[in-house]
Amino acid sequence: MDKVIPIRPKKFVMFLFLFFLFANLSLAYTIERVDIECIVNPDDTINETITMIIYNNENENLSSVTYTIPQNIRNFTINSPNGVRGYSALYDQGVTKITIELEKPIMPTESTNISINCFVTDAIWTKNDVKQLILNFPIPAKNAEIKVVLPPGAVILSPQGTLLVTPSGYKITTDGKHQIIIWDLSLDKEITFTVAVKYSFVSYPSQNIIEHPAISSNLKYLLIITVFGTILLGALFVMERTSKNRIVEENKNIKNELDKLKNKLKEKEDEVKNATEIIKDLEEELNKANKNLLSKDEIIGVLNERISEYESRIKNLVDENANYKEKIDSLSEYVKALEKENKELKDKVRELNEIIQKDIELKKGVLWDFLTEDEKTIIDLIKKHGHITQKEIVEITGMSKPKVSRIISELEDRKIIRKEKIGRINKLTLTEDSKKLL
């Protein structure tokens, strides 16, 4: 970047104001309207186009026009319906004075257009990734439009909600890729109009999020809220899924534990059943012994001991059975609580899904609003056919090949469409993420 002379001292600003005012003032003609468009490039240069309507208010033919541009300019071209015979440019302390010789003079009481296209290199300063643009425009006309087109991805800084743009009275719009600042001026005297804009470039995540320039002073906050809202919803969704997986795993473990307890209970019940049958057999043997060997006390004593032993085992089995039933009841209550929690989580999942769906619908609307009509036409054709060639788009829409090629290239850069080889032909299809959002 060329070395720039600072413009902040008050005396120098006053000098510029008077210089611009009188340098463009002419008694032979008036400038009825001035339209200035400044397209800011990512490399801090500016393509500036100045279009003037010159009116000859004298009784003689007007063959030359002088206009002063308060910047060092280069690579400029001049056009007019009257033709341009030649021109001269005088550079002095960051100011360029241009004198234009017309091939066909402007007749008295007639007017013509003159357009100056130039390349400005000394109007942008960078500090800590913040860009500051300062431009001065002499406005000798009663009506003027000043338009500043920022680079793709540039966002006007707005600390505490106030856009760093001066002077006031502007409006902000977009063409789908750039933020555009416009001043419509109606004046009663000649002025020097000074524009100052502070902006920076937005860093986008690597996932498929379409880049959009800001539309209004609040869009940056809408984008920030949308990004953090998406992150929050994602975190809640992950927590919900994790909790749900945990509950499912706990349910599975509890079910396995219940199955084990039921198996043990069945085993104990079988043991009780076997012990009961053994007692019954022993009682039958005892009855037989009592009938056949009433005098044999030893046999009776042994049988009684065995009966007592089995009765004790039965009592222990009954106690264990009661304990297992208590555990089963406790686990059943726990399962009911988990089922209730699972139901609540399902309700939360449904609410989150509704929020996510609304967020997706919002993103769909935002993405669609940022598309130009030609881009929407091409995307509609791709959605309708599934895949289509660039040649077929030209034939269907009637657009020129260069125009279609440029639009296709921009849509590919923004990850909205992609080329897919089908057979021997490369056809255009929507990316997976744009299918969801369009």
Side-chain angles (χ1 to χ4, degrees):
M1 181 181 292
D2 298 333
K3 185 175 180 181
V4 179
I5 299 174
I7 63 170
R8 294 187 178 182
K10 294 183 179 178
K11 291 183 180 179
F12 186 64
V13 172
M14 181 61 69
F15 168 76
L16 282 179
F17 176 77
L18 296 173
F19 180 81
F20 298 152
L21 185 59
F22 291 105
N24 288 300
L25 188 62
S26 173
L27 298 176
Y29 61 89
T30 59
I31 301 177
E32 294 187 332
R33 182 175 178 85
V34 177
D35 292 323
I36 303 174
E37 181 180 62
C38 298
I39 300 177
V40 183
N41 301 311
D43 61 354
D44 294 345
T45 59
I46 299 173
N47 294 323
E48 184 172 325
T49 301
I50 303 169
T51 303
M52 300 176 288
I53 300 177
I54 308 297
Y55 175 75
N56 185 1
N57 57 6
E58 291 293 315
N59 295 325
E60 299 179 356
N61 294 341
L62 178 64
S63 300
S64 65
V65 175
T66 300
Y67 189 77
T68 301
I69 301 175
Q71 289 98 28
N72 280 325
I73 61 174
R74 57 186 176 88
N75 298 341
F76 56 87
T77 58
I78 302 173
N79 297 287
S80 173
N82 290 43
V84 177
R85 184 187 302 276
Y87 60 85
S88 63
L90 177 63
Y91 302 92
D92 185 20
Q93 295 185 0
V95 176
T96 304
K97 182 178 181 181
I98 301 176
T99 301
I100 304 166
E101 295 290 334
L102 298 174
E103 190 171 288
K104 179 183 176 182
I106 306 174
M107 300 299 179
T109 71
E110 292 186 356
S111 60
T112 190
N113 294 338
I114 295 179
S115 177
I116 303 173
N117 298 298
C118 56
F119 197 66
V120 181
T121 60
D122 61 348
I124 298 177
W125 293 264
T126 303
K127 183 176 181 181
N128 298 329
D129 296 327
V130 174
K131 305 284 185 178
Q132 170 134 19
L133 178 147
I134 299 178
L135 288 169
N136 293 290
F137 306 105
I139 309 296
K142 292 184 178 180
N143 297 296
E145 180 184 85
I146 313 296
K147 181 186 294 185
V148 176
V149 182
L150 296 181
V155 175
I156 301 170
L157 298 181
S158 56
Q160 299 179 351
T162 302
L163 292 176
L164 296 182
V165 179
T166 56
S168 59
Y170 56 85
K171 63 180 179 180
I172 297 178
T173 184
T174 180
D175 60 1
K177 292 182 65 175
H178 311 80
Q179 278 190 305
I180 303 173
I181 312 168
I182 300 174
W183 288 265
D184 286 318
L185 305 178
S186 296
L187 307 171
D188 54 5
K189 63 179 180 179
E190 294 86 352
I191 66 169
T192 296
F193 195 77
T194 300
V195 170
V197 181
K198 282 190 178 182
Y199 64 93
S200 184
F201 288 91
V202 177
S203 298
Y204 294 97
S206 60
Q207 61 196 32
N208 290 324
I209 298 178
I210 307 301
E211 294 186 358
H212 300 294
I215 296 177
S216 66
S217 61
N218 294 322
L219 184 55
K220 184 176 77 172
Y221 300 102
L222 177 59
L223 291 174
I224 293 173
I225 292 170
T226 301
V227 170
F228 281 99
T230 303
I231 293 172
L232 179 59
L233 288 175
L236 290 174
F237 184 72
V238 170
M239 291 174 63
E240 180 272 331
R241 287 300 299 269
T242 303
S243 178
K244 183 177 180 181
N245 291 337
R246 176 181 61 80
I247 292 174
V248 170
E249 187 64 26
E250 288 184 359
N251 283 337
K252 184 178 178 181
N253 294 334
I254 291 171
K255 184 178 179 181
N256 292 335
E257 187 67 23
L258 283 172
D259 291 339
K260 291 179 181 179
L261 289 173
K262 288 178 180 179
N263 291 333
K264 288 183 178 180
L265 181 60
K266 189 175 182 302
E267 292 175 358
K268 296 299 181 181
E269 288 175 348
D270 291 340
E271 290 183 10
V272 170
K273 184 178 179 180
N274 293 333
T276 302
E277 291 177 353
I278 292 172
I279 291 173
K280 185 177 179 181
D281 292 339
L282 290 173
E283 288 177 343
E284 291 178 354
E285 291 180 6
L286 181 58
N287 290 332
K288 290 178 180 179
N290 288 333
K291 290 179 180 179
N292 298 324
L293 301 170
L294 294 177
S295 60
K296 295 184 177 178
D297 294 333
E298 288 186 32
I299 295 174
I300 294 173
V302 170
L303 291 175
N304 287 331
E305 289 178 0
R306 293 182 66 182
I307 290 172
S308 298
E309 180 183 346
Y310 282 110
E311 286 177 345
S312 177
R313 290 181 63 184
I314 289 172
K315 183 178 181 304
N316 291 335
L317 290 172
V318 170
D319 293 338
E320 288 181 7
N321 187 23
N323 292 332
Y324 283 124
K325 285 183 177 180
E326 291 178 359
K327 289 183 179 180
I328 290 172
D329 293 337
S330 175
L331 288 173
S332 297
E333 293 296 325
Y334 185 62
V335 168
K336 289 180 181 179
L338 289 176
E339 288 176 349
K340 181 179 178 182
E341 183 180 356
N342 190 26
K343 181 179 180 301
E344 294 174 351
L345 286 173
K346 285 181 179 179
D347 293 337
K348 290 182 180 178
V349 168
R350 184 173 62 256
E351 293 175 0
L352 287 173
N353 287 334
E354 291 175 356
I355 294 172
I356 292 170
Q357 186 61 35
K358 290 180 180 178
D359 184 65
I360 291 173
E361 292 299 326
L362 177 61
K363 289 181 180 178
K364 287 181 180 179
V366 172
L367 172 59
W368 191 254
D369 289 341
F370 276 108
L371 296 173
T372 65
E373 292 301 319
D374 290 335
E375 289 172 340
K376 291 177 180 179
T377 298
I378 292 177
I379 289 173
D380 284 337
L381 283 175
I382 296 175
K383 288 169 65 179
K384 178 179 179 181
H385 293 86
H387 46 73
I388 190 171
T389 65
Q390 189 168 320
K391 180 180 178 182
E392 291 171 338
I393 292 175
V394 172
E395 293 174 353
I396 294 172
T397 62
M399 299 180 192
S400 64
K401 289 182 180 180
K403 183 176 182 179
V404 172
S405 178
R406 174 178 57 77
I407 294 174
I408 292 301
S409 177
E410 290 180 354
L411 291 175
E412 281 186 295
D413 292 341
R414 290 153 65 186
K415 303 295 187 298
I416 296 177
I417 66 172
R418 62 186 177 88
K419 290 182 179 178
E420 180 179 356
K421 192 170 185 65
I422 300 177
R424 298 181 180 179
I425 302 174
N426 286 327
K427 292 197 174 185
L428 303 171
T429 63
L430 294 177
T431 62
E432 291 302 319
D433 285 334
S434 62
K435 286 179 182 178
K436 300 175 182 178
L437 295 177
L438 293 173

